[in-house]
Amino acid sequence: MRKLVIRKSKKTAAIVTVAGFALGIGGALLLQYAGEEVVGWLFIITAAFTLIYGFGSLFDRRPQLVLTVEGITELFTIREEIAWEAILHADDLFYRGQYIVRLLLDRSYKPMSVRPSWFWRFDRLYAQQGLKAVYIRTSGLEMNARQLVGLIRRMTAADAAERVDVLKAFAGRRDKR
C-alpha cells in the first residue's frame, strides 16, 4: 500500500441528514400545532439546507486528501503534492467553529498552487521567519484533525522505507473501526 485516500465521513453525513429530517418535522409541527409561523418556516428552511448538505456529503465520494509515500495532496485548495521533506511542523488549531491542520513549509519549497491563505496576518509573520503556512480544513472528513496531525508527524519523521509501514498500520487501524 503506497497511498491512503481520505474522503468525507459517511457517519457525519448521515447524522446531518437525520438532523435535517428532524428539523423539518419540528418545523411542520410548529406550523400546524403551535401556530408559530415564523419559527416553523425558519426550521423548515434550515432543514432544507441541512438535507441538501447531508445528501451531498453522503453521496460525494471524491477524495479530499491523498497521502502517499512521497507527500500529501489536498484536492480542493492546494491540488499539488507537498513533499514530506518540505513540512517542518504540523499542528491543529480551532478557528471559527472548525478544526484546521496547519502545515509550516520551508519557504524555499514553493509549490505552484499554494496561494495566500485567509490567515494573512499569520502569513506575514511566517514569511518573516522564512516559512509558508498551508491550512487544511478537516471538518466532515473520515479522520479528525488530531489523527491527521499525528499521521503527518509520523510520516515526516519516518524515512522513505518506513513510510509504507506507517501508511499500512494506519489504514489497518482505520479499517478495524
Side-chain angles (χ1 to χ4, degrees), residues 63-149:
Q64 304 293 310
L65 292 171
V66 178
L67 290 86
T68 63
V69 176
E70 291 82 26
I72 182 171
T73 307
E74 197 270 336
L75 296 172
F76 284 100
T77 56
I78 302 168
R79 293 184 183 161
E80 186 174 333
E81 187 171 67
I82 298 171
W84 297 119
E85 291 79 19
I87 300 173
L88 301 176
H89 180 73
D91 62 351
D92 61 330
L93 59 110
F94 187 76
Y95 181 73
R96 292 189 180 181
Q98 63 182 335
Y99 284 97
I100 297 169
V101 173
R102 176 179 51 194
L103 304 177
L104 295 179
L105 308 176
D106 186 12
R107 194 70 170 166
S108 61
Y109 181 78
K110 295 184 180 186
M112 296 300 291
S113 56
V114 175
R115 297 172 299 219
S117 68
W118 19 272
F119 291 114
W120 57 273
R121 289 182 179 157
F122 291 120
D123 285 342
R124 285 190 300 179
L125 291 173
Y126 295 139
Q128 290 174 354
Q129 298 173 0
L131 301 173
K132 174 73 178 165
V134 174
Y135 302 96
I136 301 171
R137 295 180 185 175
T138 59
S139 59
L141 296 182
E142 293 175 333
M143 66 174 21
N144 62 33
R146 289 188 180 157
Q147 292 171 331
L148 183 58
V149 167

Coordinates of all heavy atoms in Angstrom, one line a residue, residues 63-149:
P63 N -12.1 11.9 -3.3 CA -11.1 12.0 -2.3 C -10.9 13.5 -1.9 O -11.0 14.4 -2.7 CB -9.8 11.5 -3.0 CG -10.3 10.8 -4.3 CD -11.6 11.4 -4.6
Q64 N -10.7 13.7 -0.6 CA -10.4 15.0 -0.1 C -8.9 15.2 0.2 O -8.4 16.2 -0.1 CB -11.2 15.2 1.3 CG -12.7 15.0 1.2 CD -13.4 16.0 0.3 OE1 -13.2 17.2 0.5 NE2 -14.2 15.5 -0.6
L65 N -8.3 14.2 0.7 CA -6.9 14.1 0.9 C -6.3 12.8 0.4 O -6.9 11.8 0.5 CB -6.5 14.2 2.4 CG -6.9 15.5 3.2 CD1 -6.7 15.3 4.7 CD2 -5.9 16.6 2.7
V66 N -5.1 12.9 -0.1 CA -4.4 11.7 -0.6 C -3.0 11.8 0.1 O -2.2 12.7 -0.2 CB -4.3 11.6 -2.1 CG1 -3.5 10.4 -2.5 CG2 -5.7 11.6 -2.7
L67 N -2.7 10.8 0.9 CA -1.4 10.7 1.5 C -0.6 9.5 0.8 O -1.1 8.4 0.7 CB -1.5 10.4 3.0 CG -2.0 11.5 3.8 CD1 -3.5 11.5 3.9 CD2 -1.4 11.4 5.2
T68 N 0.6 9.8 0.3 CA 1.4 8.8 -0.4 C 2.7 8.8 0.3 O 3.0 9.5 1.3 CB 1.6 9.1 -1.9 OG1 2.3 10.4 -2.0 CG2 0.3 9.2 -2.6
V69 N 3.6 7.9 -0.2 CA 4.9 7.8 0.4 C 5.7 9.0 0.1 O 6.6 9.4 0.9 CB 5.6 6.5 -0.2 CG1 7.0 6.4 0.3 CG2 4.9 5.3 0.2
E70 N 5.4 9.7 -0.9 CA 6.2 10.9 -1.3 C 5.6 12.2 -0.6 O 6.4 13.1 -0.3 CB 6.1 11.2 -2.8 CG 6.9 10.1 -3.6 CD 6.1 8.9 -3.9 OE1 4.8 8.9 -3.8 OE2 6.7 7.8 -4.0
G71 N 4.3 12.3 -0.4 CA 3.8 13.5 0.2 C 2.3 13.5 0.4 O 1.6 12.5 0.3
I72 N 1.7 14.7 0.7 CA 0.3 14.8 1.0 C -0.3 15.8 -0.1 O 0.3 16.8 -0.5 CB 0.0 15.3 2.4 CG1 -1.5 15.5 2.7 CG2 0.8 16.7 2.6 CD1 -1.8 15.8 4.1
T73 N -1.5 15.4 -0.5 CA -2.2 16.3 -1.5 C -3.6 16.6 -1.0 O -4.4 15.6 -0.7 CB -2.3 15.5 -2.9 OG1 -1.0 15.1 -3.3 CG2 -2.9 16.4 -3.9
E74 N -3.9 17.8 -0.9 CA -5.3 18.3 -0.5 C -5.9 18.7 -1.9 O -5.4 19.6 -2.6 CB -5.2 19.4 0.4 CG -6.4 19.7 1.2 CD -7.3 20.7 0.5 OE1 -6.8 21.5 -0.3 OE2 -8.5 20.7 0.7
L75 N -7.0 18.1 -2.2 CA -7.5 18.2 -3.6 C -8.5 19.3 -3.9 O -9.0 19.4 -5.0 CB -8.2 16.9 -4.0 CG -7.2 15.7 -4.0 CD1 -8.0 14.4 -4.2 CD2 -6.2 15.8 -5.1
F76 N -8.7 20.2 -3.0 CA -9.7 21.3 -3.3 C -9.0 22.7 -3.3 O -9.4 23.5 -4.1 CB -10.8 21.3 -2.3 CG -11.8 20.2 -2.6 CD1 -11.8 19.0 -2.0 CD2 -12.7 20.3 -3.7 CE1 -12.6 18.0 -2.3 CE2 -13.5 19.3 -4.0 CZ -13.5 18.1 -3.3
T77 N -8.1 22.9 -2.4 CA -7.5 24.3 -2.5 C -6.0 24.2 -3.0 O -5.6 25.1 -3.7 CB -7.5 24.9 -1.1 OG1 -6.8 24.1 -0.2 CG2 -8.9 25.2 -0.7
I78 N -5.3 23.2 -2.6 CA -3.8 23.2 -2.9 C -3.6 22.4 -4.3 O -3.0 22.9 -5.2 CB -3.0 22.5 -1.8 CG1 -3.2 23.3 -0.5 CG2 -1.6 22.5 -2.2 CD1 -2.7 22.6 0.7
R79 N -4.2 21.2 -4.4 CA -4.2 20.4 -5.6 C -2.8 20.1 -6.1 O -2.6 19.7 -7.2 CB -4.9 21.0 -6.7 CG -6.4 21.1 -6.4 CD -7.1 21.7 -7.6 NE -8.5 21.8 -7.2 CZ -9.4 22.6 -7.9 NH1 -9.0 23.2 -8.9 NH2 -10.6 22.6 -7.5
E80 N -1.8 20.2 -5.2 CA -0.4 19.8 -5.6 C 0.2 19.1 -4.4 O 0.0 19.5 -3.3 CB 0.4 21.1 -5.9 CG 1.8 20.7 -6.4 CD 2.5 22.0 -6.9 OE1 1.8 22.9 -7.3 OE2 3.7 21.9 -6.9
E81 N 0.9 18.1 -4.7 CA 1.5 17.3 -3.6 C 2.6 18.1 -2.9 O 3.5 18.7 -3.5 CB 2.1 16.0 -4.2 CG 2.6 15.0 -3.1 CD 3.0 13.7 -3.7 OE1 4.0 13.6 -4.4 OE2 2.3 12.7 -3.4
I82 N 2.5 18.0 -1.6 CA 3.5 18.7 -0.8 C 4.4 17.5 -0.2 O 3.9 16.6 0.5 CB 2.9 19.4 0.4 CG1 2.0 20.6 -0.2 CG2 4.0 20.0 1.3 CD1 1.2 21.3 0.9
A83 N 5.7 17.6 -0.5 CA 6.6 16.5 -0.1 C 6.8 16.5 1.4 O 6.7 17.6 2.1 CB 8.0 16.8 -0.8
W84 N 6.9 15.3 2.0 CA 7.1 15.2 3.4 C 8.3 16.0 3.9 O 8.3 16.5 5.0 CB 7.2 13.7 3.8 CG 6.0 13.0 3.5 CD1 5.9 11.9 2.7 CD2 4.6 13.2 4.1 NE1 4.6 11.4 2.7 CE2 3.8 12.2 3.5 CE3 4.1 14.1 4.9 CZ2 2.4 12.1 3.8 CZ3 2.7 14.0 5.2 CH2 1.9 13.0 4.7
E85 N 9.4 16.0 3.1 CA 10.6 16.7 3.5 C 10.4 18.2 3.6 O 11.2 18.9 4.3 CB 11.7 16.4 2.5 CG 12.2 15.0 2.5 CD 11.3 14.0 1.7 OE1 10.5 14.5 0.9 OE2 11.4 12.8 2.0
A86 N 9.4 18.8 2.9 CA 9.2 20.2 3.0 C 8.4 20.6 4.2 O 8.4 21.8 4.6 CB 8.4 20.7 1.8
I87 N 7.7 19.7 4.9 CA 6.9 20.0 6.1 C 7.9 20.1 7.3 O 8.5 19.1 7.7 CB 5.8 19.0 6.3 CG1 4.9 18.9 5.1 CG2 5.1 19.3 7.6 CD1 3.9 17.8 5.1
L88 N 7.9 21.3 7.9 CA 8.8 21.5 9.0 C 8.0 21.3 10.3 O 8.6 20.8 11.3 CB 9.4 22.9 9.0 CG 10.2 23.2 7.8 CD1 10.7 24.7 7.9 CD2 11.4 22.3 7.8
H89 N 6.7 21.6 10.3 CA 5.9 21.5 11.5 C 4.4 21.3 11.1 O 4.0 21.8 10.2 CB 6.0 22.7 12.4 CG 5.3 22.7 13.6 ND1 5.6 21.9 14.7 CD2 4.1 23.3 14.0 CE1 4.7 22.1 15.7 NE2 3.8 23.0 15.3
A90 N 3.7 20.5 11.9 CA 2.3 20.2 11.7 C 1.6 20.3 13.0 O 2.1 19.7 14.0 CB 2.1 18.9 11.0
D91 N 0.5 21.0 13.1 CA -0.3 21.1 14.3 C -1.8 21.4 13.9 O -2.1 21.7 12.8 CB 0.2 22.1 15.3 CG 0.2 23.5 14.8 OD1 0.0 23.7 13.6 OD2 0.5 24.4 15.6
D92 N -2.6 21.2 14.9 CA -4.1 21.5 14.7 C -4.5 22.8 15.5 O -3.9 23.1 16.5 CB -4.9 20.3 15.0 CG -4.9 19.9 16.5 OD1 -3.8 20.1 17.1 OD2 -5.9 19.4 17.0
L93 N -5.4 23.5 14.9 CA -6.0 24.6 15.6 C -7.5 24.7 15.4 O -8.0 24.2 14.5 CB -5.3 25.9 15.2 CG -5.3 26.3 13.7 CD1 -6.2 27.5 13.6 CD2 -4.0 26.6 13.2
F94 N -8.1 25.4 16.4 CA -9.6 25.5 16.3 C -9.8 27.0 15.9 O -9.4 27.9 16.6 CB -10.2 25.2 17.7 CG -11.7 25.2 17.7 CD1 -12.3 24.1 17.1 CD2 -12.4 26.2 18.3 CE1 -13.7 24.1 17.1 CE2 -13.8 26.2 18.3 CZ -14.4 25.1 17.7
Y95 N -10.5 27.2 14.8 CA -10.8 28.5 14.3 C -12.2 28.6 13.8 O -12.6 27.8 12.9 CB -9.8 28.9 13.2 CG -9.9 30.3 12.7 CD1 -9.6 31.4 13.4 CD2 -10.5 30.5 11.4 CE1 -9.7 32.7 12.9 CE2 -10.6 31.7 10.9 CZ -10.3 32.8 11.6 OH -10.4 34.1 11.1
R96 N -13.0 29.5 14.3 CA -14.4 29.7 13.9 C -15.2 28.5 13.8 O -15.9 28.2 12.8 CB -14.4 30.5 12.6 CG -13.9 31.9 12.7 CD -14.1 32.7 11.5 NE -13.6 34.0 11.6 CZ -13.7 34.9 10.7 NH1 -14.3 34.7 9.6 NH2 -13.2 36.1 10.9
G97 N -15.1 27.7 14.8 CA -16.0 26.5 14.9 C -15.5 25.3 14.2 O -16.3 24.3 14.1
Q98 N -14.3 25.3 13.7 CA -13.8 24.1 13.0 C -12.4 23.9 13.3 O -11.6 24.8 13.5 CB -14.1 24.1 11.5 CG -13.4 25.3 10.8 CD -13.8 25.3 9.3 OE1 -14.2 24.3 8.7 NE2 -13.6 26.4 8.7
Y99 N -12.0 22.6 13.2 CA -10.6 22.3 13.4 C -9.8 22.3 12.0 O -10.4 21.9 11.0 CB -10.4 20.9 14.0 CG -10.7 20.8 15.4 CD1 -12.0 20.5 15.9 CD2 -9.8 21.2 16.4 CE1 -12.3 20.5 17.2 CE2 -10.1 21.2 17.7 CZ -11.4 20.9 18.1 OH -11.7 20.9 19.5
I100 N -8.6 22.9 12.1 CA -7.8 23.1 10.9 C -6.4 22.5 11.2 O -5.9 22.7 12.3 CB -7.8 24.6 10.5 CG1 -9.2 25.1 10.2 CG2 -6.8 24.8 9.4 CD1 -9.3 26.6 10.1
V101 N -5.9 21.9 10.2 CA -4.5 21.4 10.3 C -3.6 22.4 9.6 O -3.8 22.8 8.5 CB -4.3 20.0 9.6 CG1 -2.8 19.6 9.6 CG2 -5.1 19.0 10.4
R102 N -2.6 22.9 10.4 CA -1.6 23.9 9.8 C -0.3 23.2 9.6 O 0.3 22.5 10.4 CB -1.4 25.0 10.8 CG -0.4 26.0 10.4 CD -0.2 27.1 11.4 NE 0.0 26.6 12.7 CZ -0.1 27.3 13.8 NH1 -0.4 28.6 13.8 NH2 0.2 26.7 15.0
L103 N 0.2 23.3 8.3 CA 1.5 22.8 7.9 C 2.4 24.0 7.7 O 2.0 24.8 6.9 CB 1.4 21.9 6.7 CG 0.4 20.8 6.7 CD1 0.4 20.1 5.3 CD2 0.7 19.8 7.7
L104 N 3.5 24.0 8.3 CA 4.5 25.0 8.1 C 5.6 24.4 7.2 O 6.2 23.4 7.5 CB 5.1 25.5 9.4 CG 4.2 26.2 10.3 CD1 4.9 26.6 11.6 CD2 3.5 27.4 9.7
L105 N 5.7 25.1 6.0 CA 6.7 24.6 5.0 C 7.9 25.5 4.9 O 7.8 26.7 5.2 CB 6.0 24.6 3.6 CG 4.7 23.9 3.5 CD1 4.1 24.1 2.1 CD2 4.8 22.4 3.8
D106 N 9.0 24.9 4.5 CA 10.2 25.7 4.2 C 9.9 26.7 3.1 O 9.2 26.3 2.1 CB 11.3 24.8 3.9 CG 12.6 25.5 3.7 OD1 12.7 26.7 4.1 OD2 13.6 24.9 3.2
R107 N 10.3 27.9 3.2 CA 10.0 29.0 2.2 C 10.6 28.7 0.9 O 10.1 29.1 -0.2 CB 10.4 30.3 2.7 CG 9.9 31.5 2.0 CD 8.4 31.6 2.2 NE 7.9 32.9 1.7 CZ 6.7 33.2 1.5 NH1 5.8 32.3 1.9 NH2 6.3 34.3 1.0
S108 N 11.7 27.9 0.9 CA 12.3 27.6 -0.4 C 11.5 26.6 -1.2 O 11.7 26.5 -2.4 CB 13.8 27.1 -0.2 OG 13.7 25.9 0.6
Y109 N 10.6 25.9 -0.5 CA 9.7 24.9 -1.2 C 8.5 25.7 -1.6 O 7.7 26.2 -0.8 CB 9.3 23.8 -0.2 CG 8.4 22.8 -0.9 CD1 8.9 21.8 -1.7 CD2 7.1 22.8 -0.6 CE1 8.1 20.9 -2.3 CE2 6.2 21.9 -1.2 CZ 6.8 20.9 -2.1 OH 6.0 20.0 -2.6
K110 N 8.4 25.9 -2.9 CA 7.3 26.7 -3.4 C 6.4 25.9 -4.4 O 6.7 26.0 -5.6 CB 7.8 28.0 -4.1 CG 8.5 28.9 -3.2 CD 9.0 30.1 -3.9 CE 9.7 31.0 -2.9 NZ 10.0 32.3 -3.4
P111 N 5.4 25.2 -3.9 CA 4.5 24.6 -4.9 C 3.8 25.7 -5.6 O 3.5 26.8 -5.1 CB 3.6 23.8 -4.0 CG 3.8 24.2 -2.6 CD 5.1 25.0 -2.5
M112 N 3.4 25.4 -6.8 CA 2.8 26.3 -7.7 C 1.4 26.8 -7.2 O 1.1 28.0 -7.4 CB 2.7 25.8 -9.1 CG 4.0 25.4 -9.8 SD 5.1 26.8 -9.9 CE 4.2 27.7 -11.2
S113 N 0.6 26.0 -6.7 CA -0.7 26.3 -6.4 C -1.0 26.7 -5.0 O -2.2 26.8 -4.6 CB -1.7 25.2 -6.9 OG -1.3 24.0 -6.3
V114 N 0.0 26.8 -4.1 CA -0.3 27.2 -2.7 C -0.4 28.8 -2.8 O 0.5 29.5 -3.0 CB 0.9 26.8 -1.8 CG1 0.6 27.4 -0.4 CG2 1.0 25.3 -1.7
R115 N -1.7 29.2 -2.6 CA -2.0 30.6 -2.6 C -1.9 31.2 -1.2 O -1.9 30.4 -0.2 CB -3.4 30.8 -3.1 CG -3.5 30.3 -4.5 CD -5.0 30.4 -4.9 NE -5.7 29.5 -4.0 CZ -6.7 28.7 -4.4 NH1 -7.1 28.7 -5.6 NH2 -7.3 27.9 -3.5
P116 N -1.9 32.5 -1.1 CA -2.0 33.1 0.3 C -3.3 32.6 1.0 O -4.3 32.5 0.3 CB -2.0 34.6 0.0 CG -1.5 34.7 -1.3 CD -1.8 33.5 -2.1
S117 N -3.2 32.4 2.2 CA -4.4 31.9 3.0 C -5.2 33.0 3.5 O -4.9 34.2 3.4 CB -3.9 31.0 4.1 OG -3.3 31.8 5.1
W118 N -6.3 32.6 4.2 CA -7.2 33.6 4.8 C -6.6 34.0 6.2 O -7.2 34.9 6.8 CB -8.6 33.1 4.9 CG -8.8 31.6 4.9 CD1 -8.9 30.9 3.7 CD2 -8.7 30.7 5.9 NE1 -9.0 29.6 4.0 CE2 -8.9 29.4 5.4 CE3 -8.6 30.8 7.3 CZ2 -8.9 28.3 6.1 CZ3 -8.6 29.6 8.1 CH2 -8.8 28.4 7.5
F119 N -5.5 33.5 6.6 CA -4.8 33.9 7.8 C -3.7 34.9 7.4 O -2.5 34.6 7.7 CB -4.2 32.7 8.6 CG -5.2 31.9 9.2 CD1 -5.4 30.6 8.8 CD2 -6.0 32.3 10.2 CE1 -6.3 29.7 9.3 CE2 -7.0 31.5 10.8 CZ -7.1 30.2 10.4
W120 N -4.0 35.9 6.7 CA -3.0 36.8 6.1 C -2.0 37.4 7.1 O -0.9 37.6 6.9 CB -3.6 37.9 5.2 CG -4.6 38.8 5.9 CD1 -5.9 38.5 6.1 CD2 -4.3 40.0 6.5 NE1 -6.5 39.5 6.8 CE2 -5.5 40.5 7.1 CE3 -3.1 40.7 6.7 CZ2 -5.6 41.7 7.8 CZ3 -3.3 41.9 7.4 CH2 -4.5 42.4 7.9
R121 N -2.5 37.7 8.3 CA -1.6 38.2 9.4 C -0.6 37.2 9.8 O 0.6 37.5 10.0 CB -2.4 38.7 10.6 CG -3.2 39.9 10.3 CD -4.0 40.3 11.6 NE -4.7 41.5 11.3 CZ -5.8 41.9 12.0 NH1 -6.2 41.2 13.0 NH2 -6.4 43.0 11.6
F122 N -1.0 36.0 9.9 CA 0.0 34.9 10.3 C 0.9 34.7 9.1 O 2.1 34.4 9.3 CB -0.8 33.6 10.6 CG -1.5 33.7 11.9 CD1 -2.9 33.5 12.0 CD2 -0.8 34.0 13.1 CE1 -3.5 33.6 13.2 CE2 -1.5 34.1 14.3 CZ -2.9 33.8 14.3
D123 N 0.4 34.8 7.9 CA 1.3 34.6 6.7 C 2.4 35.6 6.7 O 3.5 35.2 6.3 CB 0.5 34.7 5.4 CG -0.4 33.5 5.2 OD1 -0.1 32.4 5.8 OD2 -1.3 33.6 4.4
R124 N 2.1 36.8 7.1 CA 3.2 37.8 7.1 C 4.2 37.5 8.2 O 5.4 37.6 8.0 CB 2.6 39.2 7.4 CG 2.0 39.8 6.2 CD 1.6 41.2 6.4 NE 0.7 41.3 7.5 CZ 0.2 42.5 8.0 NH1 0.6 43.6 7.5 NH2 -0.6 42.5 9.0
L125 N 3.8 37.0 9.4 CA 4.7 36.6 10.4 C 5.6 35.4 10.0 O 6.8 35.3 10.2 CB 3.9 36.2 11.7 CG 3.3 37.4 12.4 CD1 2.4 36.8 13.6 CD2 4.3 38.3 13.0
Y126 N 4.9 34.4 9.3 CA 5.7 33.2 8.9 C 6.7 33.6 7.8 O 7.8 33.1 7.7 CB 4.7 32.2 8.4 CG 3.8 31.6 9.4 CD1 2.5 31.3 9.1 CD2 4.3 31.3 10.7 CE1 1.7 30.8 10.1 CE2 3.5 30.8 11.6 CZ 2.1 30.5 11.4 OH 1.3 30.0 12.3
A127 N 6.3 34.6 6.9 CA 7.2 35.0 5.9 C 8.5 35.6 6.4 O 9.6 35.5 5.9 CB 6.5 35.9 4.9
Q128 N 8.3 36.4 7.6 CA 9.5 37.0 8.2 C 10.4 35.9 8.8 O 11.6 36.1 8.9 CB 9.0 37.9 9.3 CG 8.3 39.1 8.8 CD 7.8 40.0 10.0 OE1 7.8 39.5 11.1 NE2 7.3 41.1 9.7
Q129 N 9.9 34.7 9.1 CA 10.7 33.7 9.7 C 11.1 32.7 8.6 O 11.8 31.7 8.9 CB 9.9 32.9 10.7 CG 9.5 33.7 11.9 CD 8.5 32.9 12.8 OE1 8.2 31.8 12.6 NE2 8.1 33.6 13.9
G130 N 10.8 33.0 7.3 CA 11.2 32.1 6.2 C 10.3 30.9 6.1 O 10.8 29.8 5.6
L131 N 9.1 31.0 6.5 CA 8.1 29.8 6.4 C 6.9 30.2 5.6 O 6.6 31.3 5.3 CB 7.7 29.5 7.8 CG 8.7 29.1 8.8 CD1 8.1 28.9 10.2 CD2 9.4 27.8 8.4
K132 N 6.2 29.1 5.1 CA 5.0 29.3 4.4 C 4.0 28.3 5.1 O 4.3 27.2 5.3 CB 5.2 28.9 2.9 CG 3.9 28.8 2.1 CD 3.4 30.2 1.8 CE 2.2 30.1 0.9 NZ 1.5 31.3 0.9
A133 N 2.8 28.9 5.4 CA 1.8 28.1 6.0 C 0.7 27.6 5.0 O 0.3 28.3 4.1 CB 1.1 28.9 7.1
V134 N 0.3 26.3 5.2 CA -0.8 25.7 4.4 C -1.8 25.2 5.4 O -1.4 24.6 6.4 CB -0.2 24.6 3.6 CG1 -1.4 23.9 2.9 CG2 0.8 25.1 2.6
Y135 N -3.1 25.5 5.2 CA -4.1 25.2 6.1 C -5.0 24.2 5.4 O -5.5 24.4 4.3 CB -4.9 26.4 6.5 CG -4.0 27.4 7.2 CD1 -3.5 28.5 6.5 CD2 -3.7 27.3 8.5 CE1 -2.7 29.4 7.1 CE2 -2.9 28.3 9.1 CZ -2.4 29.3 8.4 OH -1.6 30.2 9.0
I136 N -5.4 23.1 6.2 CA -6.3 22.0 5.6 C -7.5 21.9 6.6 O -7.3 21.6 7.8 CB -5.5 20.7 5.6 CG1 -4.3 20.8 4.6 CG2 -6.5 19.6 5.1 CD1 -3.4 19.6 4.7
R137 N -8.6 22.1 6.1 CA -9.9 22.0 6.9 C -10.2 20.5 7.0 O -10.2 19.8 6.0 CB -11.0 22.7 6.2 CG -10.8 24.2 6.2 CD -11.9 24.9 5.5 NE -11.6 26.3 5.4 CZ -12.4 27.2 4.8 NH1 -13.5 26.8 4.3 NH2 -12.0 28.5 4.8
T138 N -10.5 20.1 8.2 CA -10.8 18.7 8.4 C -12.3 18.4 8.8 O -12.6 17.3 9.1 CB -9.9 18.1 9.5 OG1 -10.1 18.9 10.7 CG2 -8.4 18.2 9.1
S139 N -13.1 19.4 8.8 CA -14.5 19.2 9.2 C -15.2 18.3 8.2 O -15.1 18.5 7.0 CB -15.3 20.5 9.4 OG -15.2 21.2 8.2
G140 N -15.8 17.3 8.7 CA -16.6 16.3 7.8 C -15.7 15.3 7.2 O -16.3 14.5 6.3
L141 N -14.5 15.1 7.5 CA -13.6 14.1 6.9 C -13.7 12.8 7.8 O -14.2 12.8 8.9 CB -12.2 14.6 6.8 CG -11.9 15.7 5.9 CD1 -10.4 16.1 5.9 CD2 -12.4 15.5 4.5
E142 N -13.2 11.7 7.2 CA -13.2 10.4 7.9 C -12.3 10.4 9.1 O -12.4 9.5 9.9 CB -12.7 9.3 6.9 CG -13.7 9.1 5.8 CD -13.1 8.1 4.8 OE1 -11.9 8.0 4.6 OE2 -14.0 7.4 4.1
M143 N -11.3 11.3 9.2 CA -10.4 11.4 10.3 C -10.5 12.9 10.9 O -10.7 13.8 10.1 CB -9.0 11.0 10.0 CG -8.3 11.9 9.0 SD -6.6 11.5 8.7 CE -6.4 9.8 9.1
N144 N -10.2 13.0 12.2 CA -10.2 14.3 12.7 C -8.9 14.9 12.7 O -7.9 14.3 12.2 CB -10.8 14.3 14.2 CG -9.9 13.5 15.1 OD1 -8.7 13.4 14.9 ND2 -10.5 12.8 16.1
A145 N -8.8 16.2 13.1 CA -7.5 17.0 12.9 C -6.4 16.3 13.7 O -5.2 16.3 13.3 CB -7.7 18.4 13.4
R146 N -6.6 15.8 14.9 CA -5.6 15.3 15.7 C -5.0 14.0 15.1 O -3.8 13.8 15.1 CB -6.1 15.0 17.2 CG -6.3 16.3 17.9 CD -6.6 16.0 19.3 NE -6.8 17.3 20.0 CZ -7.5 17.4 21.1 NH1 -8.1 16.4 21.7 NH2 -7.6 18.6 21.6
Q147 N -5.9 13.2 14.6 CA -5.4 12.0 13.9 C -4.6 12.3 12.7 O -3.5 11.7 12.5 CB -6.6 11.1 13.5 CG -7.4 10.5 14.6 CD -8.6 9.8 14.1 OE1 -9.2 10.2 13.1 NE2 -9.1 8.8 14.8
L148 N -5.0 13.3 11.9 CA -4.3 13.7 10.7 C -2.9 14.3 11.1 O -1.9 14.0 10.5 CB -5.1 14.7 9.9 CG -4.5 15.1 8.6 CD1 -4.2 13.9 7.7 CD2 -5.4 16.1 7.9
V149 N -2.9 15.1 12.1 CA -1.6 15.7 12.6 C -0.7 14.6 13.0 O 0.5 14.6 12.7 CB -1.8 16.8 13.7 CG1 -0.5 17.1 14.3 CG2 -2.5 18.0 13.1

